[in-house]
Amino acid sequence: MSKRAIILSAVPVSTAVGRYVRPGDFIVACDAGYRNAERLDQRPDLIVGDFDSAPRPKAEHETIVLPHVKDDTDTQYAARWLLEHGYDEITLLGALGGARLEHTLANLATGLYLAKNGVKVLLANERSELHFLVPNTPMELHHSDWKYVSVFPLEGQLTGLAIRGAFYPLENAKLTADYPLGVSNEFVAETAHLQCSGGTGVVVLTRDDA
């Protein structure tokens, strides 16, 4: 049976993303992410951080205090902790956007780390979802209210790429990091199917601009 967890990072979220939290999810708040827990009316099971962006919360929460000088970001530490404790389905909220672009890029790296270790990982905000495509693991995405589906390579080349159920289908294609061929595709079926044979990619679902 899958072990699900939610990582709450520091980018402020709206209550709309509360739909990603299910009863029984283990919730980890990263540093100022505990403020997102309050917005979503959730009590974190664990808080981790060096608390450089928010005061350390009250002691009733289980808390891991990290040093200011470290290699892991707070979110990366939380991801590693969950992986070591057997969680195999992890959603990151409050990890996209915000004032510091480098934090979004760091969180993409954290998501990739989890995906390459066999975790079903999702990053989401109010308008987008990010999924990770790894070799020999087919992905099925439902149209729902999504308008666009985009694919980008994350490590050099994404090879053997197939996209079915989209306006621009691909078979055995190669995407490179210096040419955004996979941007702004659209669903033409209720389900899109993606797979690759080499490299890794990030798949972005986005709602209509209107």
Side-chain angles (χ1 to χ4, degrees):
M1 185 175 179
S2 181
K3 289 183 68 176
R4 283 178 45 92
I6 302 290
I7 295 177
L8 297 174
S9 294
V11 177
V13 301
S14 73
T15 56
V17 301
R19 65 182 177 273
Y20 291 103
V21 183
R22 299 181 191 172
D25 285 349
F26 188 89
I27 297 176
V28 183
C30 299
D31 206 307
Y34 69 79
R35 292 171 174 162
N36 280 330
E38 294 170 358
R39 291 185 183 98
L40 299 178
D41 196 27
Q42 299 289 331
R43 187 186 189 281
D45 297 288
L46 176 66
I47 299 176
V48 304
D50 55 18
F51 303 105
D52 60 350
S53 57
R56 181 177 172 179
K58 295 179 181 180
E60 66 259 20
H61 298 282
E62 183 178 353
T63 303
I64 298 175
V65 180
L66 304 177
H68 290 284
V69 180
K70 61 186 187 304
D71 291 333
D72 284 352
T73 64
D74 297 336
T75 299
Q76 177 74 19
Y77 182 93
R80 192 186 307 277
W81 188 97
L82 289 169
L83 184 64
E84 291 172 353
H85 285 78
Y87 288 86
D88 56 4
E89 188 171 345
I90 300 174
T91 297
L92 286 76
L93 305 175
L96 300 173
R100 297 183 61 181
L101 176 59
E102 69 270 28
H103 285 176
T104 293
L105 296 175
N107 293 332
L108 280 172
T110 294
L112 178 61
Y113 159 77
L114 289 171
K116 291 178 71 174
N117 279 279
V119 175
K120 182 179 180 181
V121 58
L122 167 69
L123 279 68
N125 61 17
E126 292 79 359
R127 295 194 53 78
S128 300
E129 286 185 0
L130 278 65
H131 303 256
F132 293 85
L133 187 64
V134 296
N136 306 313
T137 304
M139 180 181 294
E140 187 175 279
L141 299 171
H142 299 289
H143 187 181
S144 186
D145 60 344
W146 302 112
K147 172 70 171 178
Y148 302 106
V149 53
S150 301
V151 185
F152 302 95
L154 286 177
E155 296 179 301
Q157 297 180 348
L158 183 62
T159 59
L161 175 64
I163 302 176
R164 306 181 184 103
F167 186 80
Y168 300 104
L170 290 174
E171 291 290 340
N172 197 30
K174 179 174 70 176
L175 298 188
T176 60
D178 59 355
Y179 186 65
L181 177 65
V183 70
S184 299
N185 211 333
E186 297 187 28
F187 285 87
V188 293
E190 286 305 309
T191 305
H193 299 270
L194 295 83
Q195 63 184 54
C196 70
S197 60
T200 57
V202 60
V203 180
V204 184
L205 298 178
T206 311
R207 292 185 171 83
D208 198 348
D209 298 331

